Structure formats: C-alpha cells, structure tokens
Amino acid sequence: MPPPIAFELRRRTLLASSAALAMNAGTGTPAAAQEAATAGSDRTRVSLTVNGQPQEVEVDNRTTLLDLLREDLHLTGTKKGCDHGQCGACTCTVNGTRVNSCLSLAVMHEGDEIETIEGIGTPEQMEPMQAAFVENDGFQCGYCTPGQIQSGRAVIEEIRAGIPSHVTGDLSAEIAVTDAEIRERMSGNICRCGAYANILAAITQVAEDSAQGDRT
C-alpha cells in the first residue's frame, strides 16, 4: 500500500479557491447566464406621428430614429451623413424641436410628432424656406440641403421664442436676426460644397419676409 500523500494547505491556495467559488456562485452556469441575457425582448412596437400621419412600426431596440424614417418608412429625404451627430444632415423635428435623428433611438419617441423634409412642402408648392434656398442657390450637391432647411426653419423659431445662443449679447433684450446669430445656430449643419453664404442669404430672406408679414 503506497504511503499517504502529504498535503499542506497554504493560505494563498485557500484564498484563491474561495474567490473562485464566490465568482461561480454569483454568475451561475454559462447556460444560466445566457438565458438571463436573452430573457428580454429585443424588439419594440412604436407608435408615432410622422408628417401628420399615424405610424406603428416594430423595430429593433437599437434602431435610431433616422433608420426608422429611412429604412422602415422609406422617407429618404432625411440623410445619413456622419452618423455621429456632427454634420446635421439627419436633422428633423420632434414635437417642434430640431434633433439629430442619428443620435436618437426610435423607441424613445412613443407618441411623438415627427416632421421630415417630406412634410413641409412639395416641388409644386414649396415652403418659404425651400423656395428661398432655390432662389438663393443655397445648395450644390443637395445632400445636406434637407437638414439645412429643417435647421434654418428652426433657427427663426428659436430666435422668435427668445432662446439665446452662444453669441447673444444681451439676454434681457429681444434677439435680433443677425448674420452672427444665424451662423452660430447653423454651425451644426455642415455643407461640404461650401454654400454657406447662400444658405445664410436664404435664411435671412425668410426671416425678413416673416418679420414683415408680422408687421402688416
């Protein structure tokens, strides 16, 4: 009969074994962990209004508002540019406020009212900002134009509402529609063709026409 095996319990061995047991007890088996990870639904049905029309769409929870508009509702006027919220090509409005739709999850917009470029005018009857962009040549390739128009319209409404920008000098006075105000507020919309001067002219024209209409 062989001699008994000499076994020495070391403190380090005991601590390591105890830590391993604690980790296993906390995480459970791989199968249990996988089951827990897949327990929730990865799709959600979202009801929202787009350009005045009620829509109900089932989307992956990771779907952005931009992809819902383009891929599910086939409203391709809202463009995908940088997909990082840096170029403004995806600008649309949610409940009257402009947003970068590439940074907003579709599931966040249950019950919201969305407006895209398709909802503000037609080639036969253009909305004033659209007409001003055409009149002032406020575009070249046109890829960024829907976002520029949506932001341009929002800029005028923000100034009317008294919402200050970084360049607003006097927060207690009525905000004037100046070149500096428009440039600052439009700084999130990039035009790689460089049509900025004409975009500025188009927005200024609409602001002036709107102000004149308010006075009459």
Side-chain angles (χ1 to χ4, degrees), residues 14-213:
L14 176 62
L15 291 175
S17 301
S18 300
L21 288 171
M23 290 178 63
N24 287 335
T27 59
T29 63
Q34 184 177 5
E35 182 179 353
T38 58
S41 173
D42 59 357
R43 298 184 68 81
T44 300
R45 185 166 292 276
V46 181
S47 298
L48 65 172
T49 301
V50 181
N51 298 330
Q53 300 296 319
Q55 303 285 351
E56 187 171 333
V57 186
E58 183 179 298
V59 296
D60 186 293
N61 292 337
R62 299 165 295 180
T63 300
T64 62
L65 177 59
L66 173 61
D67 285 336
L68 180 148
L69 294 171
R70 291 181 57 85
E71 305 300 332
D72 293 284
L73 301 181
H74 308 294
L75 296 171
T76 55
T78 306
K79 303 302 183 185
K80 178 175 285 194
C82 65
D83 214 22
H84 286 77
Q86 297 176 352
C87 73
C90 67
T91 303
C92 66
T93 62
V94 176
N95 300 328
T97 301
R98 57 175 168 161
V99 301
N100 289 326
S101 59
C102 73
L103 295 182
S104 188
L105 292 175
V107 295
M108 298 168 58
H109 296 288
E110 175 69 28
D112 285 347
E113 294 188 7
I114 316 297
E115 184 182 65
T116 71
I117 192 69
E118 290 90 347
I120 67 171
T122 65
E124 296 77 21
Q125 190 172 0
M126 288 186 288
E127 189 268 346
M129 188 66 73
Q130 292 173 315
F133 265 68
V134 173
E135 183 178 343
N136 291 277
D137 292 327
F139 54 88
Q140 288 188 36
C141 77
Y143 193 83
C144 73
T145 306
Q148 300 279 1
I149 290 174
Q150 291 283 60
S151 276
R153 297 172 74 236
V155 161
I156 296 175
E157 294 304 317
E158 289 166 7
I159 293 175
R160 276 183 169 180
I163 300 173
S165 76
H166 182 68
V167 300
T168 303
D170 187 351
L171 300 182
S172 62
E174 182 179 349
I175 303 174
V177 182
T178 64
D179 289 356
E181 281 285 355
I182 295 174
R183 288 192 181 102
E184 169 63 23
R185 295 169 189 268
M186 291 294 294
S187 60
N189 289 78
I190 306 301
C191 175
R192 291 178 175 84
C193 298
Y196 295 112
N198 295 355
I199 291 170
L200 175 62
I203 298 172
T204 302
Q205 176 181 313
V206 174
E208 291 175 349
D209 290 347
S210 178
Q212 185 176 0

